[in-house]
Amino acid sequence: MQTIFDCGYLCKQLLKRMIQLLILVMLPPSTLSLIQQSMVNFPCLNVTVPYPCNLQVIYPYPIGRTTCDGQYRRGGYGSSAFDNHPTLKAAVTKQPLKALVVIYDREVEMYHALYLATVNKQCDVVPIEQSRYVPPTPPGGTHHYVFFLFDAGNLDLLDGSEDSLRMCVLVARLGLRDPIAVTQLRISNNDGQADAVPRTTGKPLMCPLSPPPAPQPGSGNSCKTIVGLYIIFLLLCLT
C-alpha cells in the first residue's frame, strides 16, 4: 500500500509539472506578456509598463532611445545627457485633442515635468507651452521615474499649482483617467563615476501602434485561450 501511495504522489506531481508546461505553450503570447510586465505602483491607476513601449523617451547622446523599465545611471560629466529635456514619442491608437505629459519620481513623490502637448501623426509629443523640466537627480539608490501621457481633453493651460500634489491627487483633481501611454526609467546615482549608459539602447517606436486584431471564430488564439483556461482549472482541481 505504501508503494502505491508513493507512486500516486509522484505521478500527481509529474502531471502538475506537465500541465504547467502545457499552459506556457498553449496560452497566446499576449497572455504571457502580461506576466512579464512591471507594475506602475499607483493605487489610483490600473496600468503596467507595456512591452514594447507605447511611450518612448529619447535623450541626447550617449543615452539615446530608452527601453521599457530600463536601468540607467547618471554620468560623472560636468553635464549629463539627462539634464536635457527628452524627446517623447507616443504610439497611441487615437490622437488626443490635447495631452498632459507627467514625469514623476515615485520614491520622493516629485514632479519633474508637467505640461500640455499634442501628438502628431508621426507620434511626436509636441509641447503646447513652455515646458518646465527638472532632470532626474536621485540623491541615492535607484529611483523610478514614470512618464505618463494622459488624454487632457479640453484642459486649459496649467498654472503650476499642481506641482506639489501627489500623483493620485493630481489625477482626481484634473479628472484624468488611466494614461493612454506610459513608460518607466530606473535611474541611479553612480557617485561621480564615468557614465555607464549604453548608446541608443532602445529600438525605434512603431508608429502608429495598431490595436491587436480581434480573434476570429475558430482562430488559433481563441482556441489556445480556451484550452489554456481549461488546463488552469484542471490544475486548480488537482491542487
Side-chain angles (χ1 to χ4, degrees):
M1 289 294 292
Q2 184 67 27
T3 303
I4 296 175
F5 176 79
D6 289 343
C7 178
Y9 175 78
L10 293 175
C11 290
K12 184 177 179 180
Q13 294 299 313
L14 179 61
L15 180 61
K16 286 172 60 177
R17 296 293 180 269
M18 292 177 63
I19 291 175
Q20 290 172 350
L21 179 61
L22 282 173
I23 292 174
L24 295 177
V25 174
M26 296 297 294
L27 289 179
S30 59
T31 305
L32 296 178
S33 64
L34 294 176
I35 302 173
Q36 301 170 354
Q37 292 175 348
S38 301
M39 292 300 297
V40 177
N41 187 23
F42 291 97
C44 56
L45 300 174
N46 182 25
V47 296
T48 58
V49 176
Y51 186 85
C53 300
N54 59 357
L55 180 61
Q56 189 165 69
V57 181
I58 306 172
Y59 277 100
Y61 172 90
I63 303 171
R65 301 185 186 97
T66 61
T67 58
C68 307
D69 203 26
Q71 298 191 57
Y72 302 92
R73 292 197 296 172
R74 283 191 59 94
Y77 306 117
S79 63
S80 170
F82 284 111
D83 293 340
N84 298 286
H85 198 297
T87 300
L88 301 182
K89 294 183 73 71
V92 294
T93 56
K94 180 182 178 181
Q95 285 183 260
L97 176 66
K98 195 179 297 181
L100 176 64
V101 177
V102 179
I103 305 177
Y104 194 76
D105 182 346
R106 284 169 39 184
E107 274 66 30
V108 297
E109 298 182 340
M110 173 184 173
Y111 291 100
H112 287 257
L114 186 69
Y115 60 92
L116 294 172
T118 59
V119 183
N120 62 26
K121 293 183 179 179
Q122 289 72 43
C123 292
D124 300 314
V125 179
V126 183
I128 295 176
E129 54 184 340
Q130 185 71 25
S131 57
R132 181 182 65 86
Y133 170 71
V134 179
T137 53
T142 301
H143 285 215
H144 297 75
Y145 294 87
V146 191
F147 293 70
F148 292 107
L149 188 71
F150 291 94
D151 186 341
N154 294 316
L155 184 67
D156 292 330
L157 296 182
L158 302 172
D159 58 8
S161 61
E162 291 84 3
D163 292 359
S164 60
L165 301 177
R166 294 184 180 182
M167 189 66 205
C168 289
V169 176
L170 174 72
V171 170
R173 175 173 174 176
L174 300 181
L176 300 171
R177 297 180 293 275
D178 288 345
I180 56 177
V182 63
T183 194
Q184 175 177 269
L185 306 182
R186 285 177 285 169
I187 302 175
S188 59
N189 193 335
N190 54 338
D191 299 325
Q193 299 176 11
D195 220 338
V197 179
R199 303 177 185 177
T200 313
T201 54
K203 296 181 179 179
L205 177 138
M206 298 298 294
C207 174
L209 181 63
S210 301
Q216 300 299 320
S219 66
N221 278 354
S222 59
C223 178
K224 288 182 179 180
T225 302
I226 294 173
V227 173
L229 292 175
Y230 177 79
I231 293 175
I232 292 174
F233 176 76
L234 179 60
L235 178 61
L236 292 175
C237 292
L238 289 175
T239 55

